[in-house]
PDB file of all heavy atoms in Angstrom:
ATOM      1  N   VAL A 113      -8.513 -16.738   0.616  1.00  0.00           N
ATOM      2  CA  VAL A 113      -8.629 -15.371   0.032  1.00  0.00           C
ATOM      3  C   VAL A 113      -7.909 -15.432  -1.303  1.00  0.00           C
ATOM      4  O   VAL A 113      -6.734 -15.848  -1.363  1.00  0.00           O
ATOM      5  CB  VAL A 113      -7.868 -14.436   0.972  1.00  0.00           C
ATOM      6  CG1 VAL A 113      -7.878 -13.000   0.379  1.00  0.00           C
ATOM      7  CG2 VAL A 113      -8.543 -14.345   2.412  1.00  0.00           C
ATOM      8  N   PHE A 114      -8.658 -15.003  -2.332  1.00  0.00           N
ATOM      9  CA  PHE A 114      -7.988 -15.074  -3.628  1.00  0.00           C
ATOM     10  C   PHE A 114      -8.596 -14.079  -4.610  1.00  0.00           C
ATOM     11  O   PHE A 114      -9.704 -13.599  -4.428  1.00  0.00           O
ATOM     12  CB  PHE A 114      -8.035 -16.454  -4.194  1.00  0.00           C
ATOM     13  CG  PHE A 114      -9.400 -17.091  -4.299  1.00  0.00           C
ATOM     14  CD1 PHE A 114     -10.274 -16.907  -5.394  1.00  0.00           C
ATOM     15  CD2 PHE A 114      -9.892 -17.990  -3.295  1.00  0.00           C
ATOM     16  CE1 PHE A 114     -11.494 -17.501  -5.503  1.00  0.00           C
ATOM     17  CE2 PHE A 114     -11.098 -18.551  -3.405  1.00  0.00           C
ATOM     18  CZ  PHE A 114     -11.929 -18.350  -4.493  1.00  0.00           C
ATOM     19  N   TYR A 115      -7.923 -13.843  -5.675  1.00  0.00           N
ATOM     20  CA  TYR A 115      -8.265 -12.948  -6.729  1.00  0.00           C
ATOM     21  C   TYR A 115      -9.411 -13.496  -7.593  1.00  0.00           C
ATOM     22  O   TYR A 115      -9.443 -14.629  -7.878  1.00  0.00           O
ATOM     23  CB  TYR A 115      -7.045 -12.712  -7.643  1.00  0.00           C
ATOM     24  CG  TYR A 115      -7.291 -11.951  -8.956  1.00  0.00           C
ATOM     25  CD1 TYR A 115      -7.150 -10.574  -8.922  1.00  0.00           C
ATOM     26  CD2 TYR A 115      -7.586 -12.648 -10.099  1.00  0.00           C
ATOM     27  CE1 TYR A 115      -7.372  -9.873 -10.162  1.00  0.00           C
ATOM     28  CE2 TYR A 115      -7.853 -11.972 -11.279  1.00  0.00           C
ATOM     29  CZ  TYR A 115      -7.727 -10.515 -11.266  1.00  0.00           C
ATOM     30  OH  TYR A 115      -7.898  -9.804 -12.436  1.00  0.00           O
ATOM     31  N   LEU A 116     -10.360 -12.704  -7.776  1.00  0.00           N
ATOM     32  CA  LEU A 116     -11.465 -13.054  -8.646  1.00  0.00           C
ATOM     33  C   LEU A 116     -11.966 -11.893  -9.489  1.00  0.00           C
ATOM     34  O   LEU A 116     -12.468 -10.874  -8.967  1.00  0.00           O
ATOM     35  CB  LEU A 116     -12.712 -13.582  -7.793  1.00  0.00           C
ATOM     36  CG  LEU A 116     -13.910 -14.009  -8.604  1.00  0.00           C
ATOM     37  CD1 LEU A 116     -13.579 -15.172  -9.593  1.00  0.00           C
ATOM     38  CD2 LEU A 116     -15.035 -14.522  -7.675  1.00  0.00           C
ATOM     39  N   ASN A 117     -11.824 -11.998 -10.770  1.00  0.00           N
ATOM     40  CA  ASN A 117     -12.183 -10.996 -11.690  1.00  0.00           C
ATOM     41  C   ASN A 117     -13.558 -11.390 -12.284  1.00  0.00           C
ATOM     42  O   ASN A 117     -13.716 -12.350 -12.932  1.00  0.00           O
ATOM     43  CB  ASN A 117     -11.150 -10.931 -12.843  1.00  0.00           C
ATOM     44  CG  ASN A 117     -11.511  -9.708 -13.825  1.00  0.00           C
ATOM     45  OD1 ASN A 117     -12.716  -9.349 -14.018  1.00  0.00           O
ATOM     46  ND2 ASN A 117     -10.454  -9.171 -14.464  1.00  0.00           N
ATOM     47  N   TRP A 118     -14.626 -10.557 -12.073  1.00  0.00           N
ATOM     48  CA  TRP A 118     -15.965 -10.852 -12.572  1.00  0.00           C
ATOM     49  C   TRP A 118     -16.010 -11.073 -14.080  1.00  0.00           C
ATOM     50  O   TRP A 118     -16.783 -11.838 -14.546  1.00  0.00           O
ATOM     51  CB  TRP A 118     -16.926  -9.801 -12.157  1.00  0.00           C
ATOM     52  CG  TRP A 118     -17.037  -9.637 -10.701  1.00  0.00           C
ATOM     53  CD1 TRP A 118     -16.460 -10.461  -9.670  1.00  0.00           C
ATOM     54  CD2 TRP A 118     -17.694  -8.516  -9.980  1.00  0.00           C
ATOM     55  NE1 TRP A 118     -16.850  -9.969  -8.438  1.00  0.00           N
ATOM     56  CE2 TRP A 118     -17.515  -8.768  -8.597  1.00  0.00           C
ATOM     57  CE3 TRP A 118     -18.369  -7.445 -10.360  1.00  0.00           C
ATOM     58  CZ2 TRP A 118     -18.006  -7.951  -7.643  1.00  0.00           C
ATOM     59  CZ3 TRP A 118     -18.877  -6.561  -9.391  1.00  0.00           C
ATOM     60  CH2 TRP A 118     -18.664  -6.800  -7.990  1.00  0.00           C
ATOM     61  N   PHE A 119     -15.113 -10.371 -14.836  1.00  0.00           N
ATOM     62  CA  PHE A 119     -15.176 -10.493 -16.248  1.00  0.00           C
ATOM     63  C   PHE A 119     -14.689 -11.972 -16.675  1.00  0.00           C
ATOM     64  O   PHE A 119     -14.998 -12.339 -17.758  1.00  0.00           O
ATOM     65  CB  PHE A 119     -14.185  -9.549 -16.948  1.00  0.00           C
ATOM     66  CG  PHE A 119     -14.755  -8.095 -16.890  1.00  0.00           C
ATOM     67  CD1 PHE A 119     -14.231  -7.092 -16.128  1.00  0.00           C
ATOM     68  CD2 PHE A 119     -15.777  -7.738 -17.862  1.00  0.00           C
ATOM     69  CE1 PHE A 119     -14.755  -5.835 -16.153  1.00  0.00           C
ATOM     70  CE2 PHE A 119     -16.282  -6.502 -17.892  1.00  0.00           C
ATOM     71  CZ  PHE A 119     -15.751  -5.481 -17.079  1.00  0.00           C
ATOM     72  N   GLU A 120     -14.047 -12.639 -15.734  1.00  0.00           N
ATOM     73  CA  GLU A 120     -13.572 -14.013 -16.038  1.00  0.00           C
ATOM     74  C   GLU A 120     -14.481 -14.998 -15.375  1.00  0.00           C
ATOM     75  O   GLU A 120     -13.946 -16.132 -14.986  1.00  0.00           O
ATOM     76  CB  GLU A 120     -12.132 -14.137 -15.610  1.00  0.00           C
ATOM     77  CG  GLU A 120     -11.169 -13.183 -16.350  1.00  0.00           C
ATOM     78  CD  GLU A 120      -9.765 -13.210 -15.824  1.00  0.00           C
ATOM     79  OE1 GLU A 120      -9.518 -13.833 -14.771  1.00  0.00           O
ATOM     80  OE2 GLU A 120      -8.901 -12.561 -16.434  1.00  0.00           O
ATOM     81  N   TYR A 121     -15.696 -14.672 -15.267  1.00  0.00           N
ATOM     82  CA  TYR A 121     -16.722 -15.646 -14.621  1.00  0.00           C
ATOM     83  C   TYR A 121     -16.716 -17.046 -15.253  1.00  0.00           C
ATOM     84  O   TYR A 121     -16.915 -18.124 -14.624  1.00  0.00           O
ATOM     85  CB  TYR A 121     -18.138 -15.047 -14.715  1.00  0.00           C
ATOM     86  CG  TYR A 121     -18.670 -15.028 -16.046  1.00  0.00           C
ATOM     87  CD1 TYR A 121     -19.396 -16.078 -16.551  1.00  0.00           C
ATOM     88  CD2 TYR A 121     -18.493 -13.894 -16.828  1.00  0.00           C
ATOM     89  CE1 TYR A 121     -20.021 -16.056 -17.795  1.00  0.00           C
ATOM     90  CE2 TYR A 121     -19.052 -13.860 -18.121  1.00  0.00           C
ATOM     91  CZ  TYR A 121     -19.740 -14.906 -18.620  1.00  0.00           C
ATOM     92  OH  TYR A 121     -20.225 -14.875 -19.895  1.00  0.00           O
ATOM     93  N   ASP A 122     -16.429 -17.050 -16.599  1.00  0.00           N
ATOM     94  CA  ASP A 122     -16.501 -18.382 -17.289  1.00  0.00           C
ATOM     95  C   ASP A 122     -15.330 -19.254 -16.873  1.00  0.00           C
ATOM     96  O   ASP A 122     -15.418 -20.541 -17.185  1.00  0.00           O
ATOM     97  CB  ASP A 122     -16.544 -18.129 -18.840  1.00  0.00           C
ATOM     98  CG  ASP A 122     -15.303 -17.282 -19.311  1.00  0.00           C
ATOM     99  OD1 ASP A 122     -14.830 -16.446 -18.599  1.00  0.00           O
ATOM    100  OD2 ASP A 122     -14.883 -17.542 -20.443  1.00  0.00           O
TER     101      ASP A 122
END
Side-chain angles (χ1 to χ4, degrees):
V113 177
F114 56 85
Y115 172 89
L116 180 58
N117 186 334
W118 299 348
F119 284 107
E120 298 175 351
Y121 68 89
D122 56 327

